[in-house]
Amino acid sequence: MAPSGPGSVRRRCRRVLYWIPVVFISLLLGWSYYAYAIQLCIVSMENVGEQVVCLIAYHLLFAMFVWSYWKTIFTLPMNPSKEFHLSYAEKELLEREPRGEAHQEVLRRAAKDLPIYTRTMSGAIRYCDRCQLIKPDRCHHCSVCDKCILKMDHHCPWVNNCVGFSNYKFFLLFLAYSLLYCLFIAATDLQYFIKFWTNGLPDTQAKFHIMFLFFAAAMFSVSLSSLFGYHCWLVSKNKSTLEAFRSPVFRHGTDKNGFSLGFSKNMRQVFGDEKKYWLLPVFSSLGDGCSFPTCLVNQDPEQPSTPAGMNSTLKTPENHQFPAKPLRESQSHLLMDSQSWTENTANPGKGKAGMSNPALTMENET
């Protein structure tokens, strides 16, 4: 066995350091359990009914918090499927071609049957040199994980994991339950915190825990509320954090609302169709993470318009036929729904004239 080099040692050290925020949150959570359940509820509360109610509600929130946090940490980010990886022959051809139009022509031929609509800022096919694959829509390469992540939102140090298609719902629930956890602690601890300042509590160990428990819960409530509110806004607009900072670029140009299908369908894309699973950290998101329905506002006037529900084989003005780029059934039904999937449903005439189903609209290769 070859000895480990300096690079290998550094990578191992970095992997250990990446777990420090998770260990910190875990220790803080363990201390909060002891401070609330033992020192506040059992030691300080004198009313038995109040003890029972607080302990039941607390353990319910605690369990949901830990469950969603665990799922966010240990759910592996999904990577592009094999269809997006270049074949051996394509890789060899790409290595021989210089950067430029010839290089792009190889990528265009490899991507002609893939369900991709986004481009780079210069209009080129999005390609990852490190992973040697054509990037699906909303996929980005994470420098920390050193791999391409489907529908990447961001790399979160507090969970030591990439937040993307496979665990974005878990991350939202983690934020929601941690916020409720902190708000519940702050609300039920407030009266005892006031007693501390008015010398209404005996000078015991519980006094210290009650004081710092309220401060910690109040402080985290403020930061979590802003973060959770921001991600709720992202879900309502069907954006990721990366897309909020840099709008996706389509063949027709930049469109910040290109993936938005309206509030209801944006929610369903993340949480799924069955509402009974919405509040549980179980995977219920729609689709496969590789292809997404789009709502292109800036239509290319040279593109053919095909309403939802039409035949999936289209003809370009040159009468060439192309197969429609596929969407999974769980994604396609968002577009086939009888209810309008545009956010402006009050004016059906406008939606009919100005919108087409881009899942069924092909792009003319140049």
Side-chain angles (χ1 to χ4, degrees), residues 82-151:
K82 62 181 181 180
E83 289 81 9
F84 293 88
H85 290 261
L86 297 184
S87 65
Y88 180 77
E90 288 169 334
K91 290 178 184 177
E92 280 196 330
L93 187 59
L94 202 64
E95 289 174 358
R96 289 199 300 266
E97 296 292 347
R99 293 281 179 175
E101 184 57 32
H103 193 272
Q104 272 298 299
E105 184 60 32
V106 175
L107 293 179
R108 275 197 291 268
R109 288 200 300 267
K112 63 183 172 60
D113 293 325
L114 295 177
I116 56 173
Y117 297 96
T118 55
R119 299 290 187 264
T120 65
M121 294 297 291
S122 62
I125 299 292
R126 298 172 67 243
Y127 177 73
C128 179
D129 289 303
R130 192 157 182 87
C131 299
Q132 293 187 310
L133 57 82
I134 295 171
K135 293 181 182 179
D137 292 343
R138 318 184 81 175
C139 173
H140 298 275
H141 187 89
C142 176
S143 58
V144 179
C145 298
D146 195 26
K147 61 181 69 174
C148 285
I149 308 298
L150 293 181
K151 196 187 175 185

Side-chain angles (χ1 to χ4, degrees), residues 23 53 70 81 92 94 110 147 162 173 186 243 266 337 351:
V23 172
V53 171
W70 177 275
S81 56
E92 280 196 330
L94 202 64
K147 61 181 69 174
C162 255
L173 292 178
E243 291 165 354
N266 292 343
D337 204 337

Side-chain angles (χ1 to χ4, degrees), residues 17-23 25 69 154-161:
L17 291 175
Y18 289 153
W19 283 103
I20 290 178
V22 176
V23 172
I25 293 294
Y69 189 46
H154 68 289
H155 186 93
C156 181
W158 298 107
V159 300
N160 190 28
N161 199 2

Side-chain angles (χ1 to χ4, degrees), residues 235-246:
V235 171
S236 70
K237 298 296 183 181
N238 204 346
K239 295 181 180 182
S240 67
T241 299
L242 295 176
E243 291 165 354
F245 283 99
R246 176 180 291 178

Side-chain angles (χ1 to χ4, degrees), residues 18 23 34 103 128 161 197-198 208 229 271 274 289 299 303 346 359:
Y18 289 153
V23 172
Y34 171 76
H103 193 272
C128 179
N161 199 2
W197 288 108
T198 57
F208 166 82
F271 290 96
E274 299 188 64
Q299 286 286 329
Q303 281 288 2

Side-chain angles (χ1 to χ4, degrees), residues 239-279:
K239 295 181 180 182
S240 67
T241 299
L242 295 176
E243 291 165 354
F245 283 99
R246 176 180 291 178
S247 299
V249 180
F250 297 88
R251 177 69 176 272
H252 317 283
T254 301
D255 193 332
K256 64 180 181 179
N257 295 315
F259 292 107
S260 180
L261 307 177
F263 178 79
S264 175
K265 292 178 182 179
N266 292 343
M267 288 282 293
R268 285 159 55 191
Q269 199 170 90
V270 174
F271 290 96
D273 288 326
E274 299 188 64
K275 294 183 179 180
K276 61 183 179 181
Y277 296 123
W278 281 16
L279 299 180

Side-chain angles (χ1 to χ4, degrees), residues 309-356:
M310 293 288 285
N311 193 308
S312 60
T313 302
L314 304 174
K315 290 186 178 181
T316 66
E318 295 82 4
N319 292 324
H320 295 298
Q321 289 190 349
F322 296 92
K325 297 180 180 181
L327 287 172
R328 286 176 55 133
E329 182 181 354
S330 58
Q331 297 167 315
S332 297
H333 87 278
L334 290 174
L335 298 177
M336 301 302 182
D337 204 337
S338 59
Q339 182 183 0
S340 173
W341 54 271
T342 60
E343 291 186 308
N344 186 9
T345 56
N347 190 348
K350 179 179 178 181
K352 188 180 295 183
M355 297 291 181
S356 68

